Amino acid sequence: SSRGDPDDPAAASPRRVHRAQYCAIHRACRYEFYCEDCDMLVCQRCIFEAHENHSYKLPTESLIQRQRTRIRGVVDTLCSELLRAQTSLQETLAAGEANEVRAHQVRAEIDQACDQLELAAESRWAELQRELHAAAADRRRCLESEKSECAIAIVDLWRRVDFLEKSVALGTDIEVMQVKTQLQKSQEKMLKQWTDLAQRGLPAPATETAKGRPA
């Protein structure tokens, strides 16, 4: 072909050659042949290195047009892939921003829930303290009342013992029998009082009272 002839005046005239006309492997060599076995353009060095036993010929206009069509298809495919990649990137960035906004909202909700939980715990603690103090005060009053009753009972007992000693020492047999009968009745009555006092139920704890209280 005259296109690759160095004696051709058109080839000898200086002109700019597009980079695509040079071999992708041997950057200093131009495509000059078409390998039919590999269906690709090759340079002279490609023939000697990798296509020596292949069938090749000079590129014709139809081959060049077919290669252009193939390259255009590859470019269109790459452009479509690039567009899809850009769209996917935009969607990913938008989803990331939405997730970040949602994360801020969730963090704020968690902080608010923690504050509410802390306030509820403090309120419940104060309520339990009040119930405990009230139960302690009731128990203290009950113990003071029982202490007073025990003191009165002890004083009465000492009086009876003193009266019995004087009656035995100074009284007649009839008076001693009367005192003995009266002492037995008084002893039974006192025993009943002490038994009731020992079996008296304790006030209910504050926690049990709180459980029975309606919410």
Side-chain angles (χ1 to χ4, degrees), residues 38-51:
C38 299
D39 192 20
M40 61 183 297
L41 294 174
V42 295
C43 67
Q44 290 183 358
R45 292 185 59 183
C46 289
I47 292 176
F48 291 113
E49 293 179 2
H51 304 268

Side-chain angles (χ1 to χ4, degrees), residues 185-197:
K185 294 180 180 180
S186 177
Q187 184 179 3
E188 293 176 357
K189 181 178 180 182
M190 186 179 299
L191 181 60
K192 185 177 184 304
Q193 291 178 352
W194 281 93
T195 302
D196 294 341
L197 183 62

Side-chain angles (χ1 to χ4, degrees), residues 19 21-32 43 45:
R19 185 71 243 178
Q21 297 184 18
Y22 287 87
C23 180
I25 301 175
H26 309 101
R27 308 287 293 184
C29 300
R30 295 176 58 181
Y31 288 123
E32 297 183 8
C43 67
R45 292 185 59 183

